[in-house]
Amino acid sequence: MNIIEKTYNWKGSLKNRTSTKRIILHHAESKSCTADDIHSWHLANGWAGIGYHFFVRKDGSIYRGRPEGVVGSHAKGSNSDSIGICFEGSYMTETMGQTQINAGRELVSYLKKKYGISKVQKHKDVCSTNCPGTNFPFDQIVNGTVITTPTSTSASQPASNAKTTGTYEVTASDLSVRTGPGTGYRRKRHDELTKDGQKHDKDKDGCLERGTRVTVYEWKNGWARTPSGWLSGDYLKKV
């Protein structure tokens, strides 16, 4: 598991947490946002900065928020003994993709083992809120429950999301380009992308912007190999 380290400008001091007894899960209530966006929002609230300890993006990238050992600001009355994890998305209306579910499951499992804890809660379990949303796949992330739905496709025509080679369009706001087919592989640097890929990496952070068209040469475990690198198939649309 790769946790992307971030540097934030904190307002005021952060207090060390003396115990870790649980994990509390949240959604950002925004269909597209970054850890830096959340940091800005929480500063505007008058807080020290981003209140979550981890932020899981739709492409499976996991970002560090607050230092793991300090008190968070994510669940009023429950911050002193908890780790807060936020998921990009608005899961009152959206459905989470498998790539993000897998990343969240891996992170939760890692933290449970690290701290010797088993208690994982939703934000709404401890506060008066609908967070992390009625569509949030809590059981899949926490208990590894796999939900399958029957599908049927015509023999004469492939499904619209069939994994075929060809031209695809990026549907996420910032889609990480990785060195291999999975979140366990590091994100590529800007200078490792093709010249065309660099044109669509506006923030120079190894991510392609929404609307970028890429050629897919190969599929592996739901990931697509493109000239610049591997992309999550959850955020590619055949064109």
Side-chain angles (χ1 to χ4, degrees):
M1 180 179 63
N2 178 43
I3 297 173
I4 300 170
E5 301 294 339
K6 293 279 296 176
T7 300
Y8 303 96
N9 292 320
W10 302 104
K11 183 179 180 181
S13 59
L14 301 175
K15 180 181 178 181
N16 288 334
R17 193 175 61 253
T18 57
S19 66
T20 303
K21 298 180 180 178
R22 52 183 163 163
I23 299 166
I24 299 177
L25 306 183
H26 307 256
H27 70 160
E29 209 167 354
S30 172
K31 292 186 177 182
S32 177
C33 62
T34 66
D36 289 316
D37 289 332
I38 294 175
H39 182 64
S40 296
W41 299 339
H42 287 188
L43 282 172
N45 287 343
W47 303 350
I50 185 171
Y52 311 111
H53 297 91
F54 297 96
F55 180 59
V56 183
R57 297 210 64 184
K58 290 182 175 181
D59 67 358
S61 300
I62 301 173
Y63 287 82
R64 181 83 64 190
R66 291 204 178 193
E68 198 171 313
V70 308
V71 176
S73 185
H74 57 92
K76 188 175 181 179
S78 300
N79 291 313
S80 63
D81 64 357
S82 67
I83 289 177
I85 303 175
C86 181
F87 290 75
E88 180 185 18
S90 182
Y91 295 109
M92 288 298 292
T93 57
E94 291 187 272
T95 301
M96 188 179 293
Q98 194 62 47
T99 298
Q100 191 177 20
I101 291 172
N102 291 345
R105 180 187 300 151
E106 186 177 10
L107 177 60
V108 168
S109 176
Y110 161 75
L111 292 171
K112 287 167 70 176
K113 290 176 182 177
K114 180 174 181 177
Y115 291 96
I117 58 177
S118 59
K119 190 173 186 178
V120 184
Q121 297 174 293
K122 304 171 186 175
H123 187 193
K124 67 182 180 181
D125 292 334
V126 298
C127 295
S128 179
T129 176
N130 60 22
C131 178
T134 55
N135 295 334
F136 188 83
F138 183 82
D139 286 338
Q140 293 184 68
I141 290 171
V142 176
N143 303 315
T145 304
V146 177
I147 299 175
T148 59
T149 55
T151 59
S152 61
T153 58
S154 169
S156 60
Q157 184 174 0
S160 60
N161 63 346
K163 304 304 183 186
T164 59
T165 58
T167 303
Y168 285 76
E169 184 176 295
V170 173
T171 60
S173 58
D174 286 292
L175 185 60
S176 293
V177 183
R178 296 190 179 272
T179 58
T183 57
Y185 293 88
R186 71 170 175 84
R187 180 192 293 181
K188 283 194 169 185
R189 301 188 307 271
H190 176 77
D191 61 9
E192 293 179 296
L193 307 182
T194 63
K195 292 298 183 183
D196 184 66
Q198 291 177 17
K199 293 178 183 177
H200 297 282
D201 180 17
K202 300 299 185 184
D203 295 328
K204 301 187 185 305
D205 58 355
C207 295
L208 301 181
E209 62 184 345
R210 181 184 285 115
T212 302
R213 293 200 171 191
V214 296
T215 301
V216 173
Y217 299 124
E218 174 189 3
W219 286 93
K220 187 173 182 180
N221 300 326
W223 288 73
R225 183 172 65 84
T226 72
S228 282
W230 291 86
L231 302 174
S232 170
D234 290 340
Y235 306 102
L236 295 176
K237 177 178 70 175
K238 192 78 165 65
V239 296

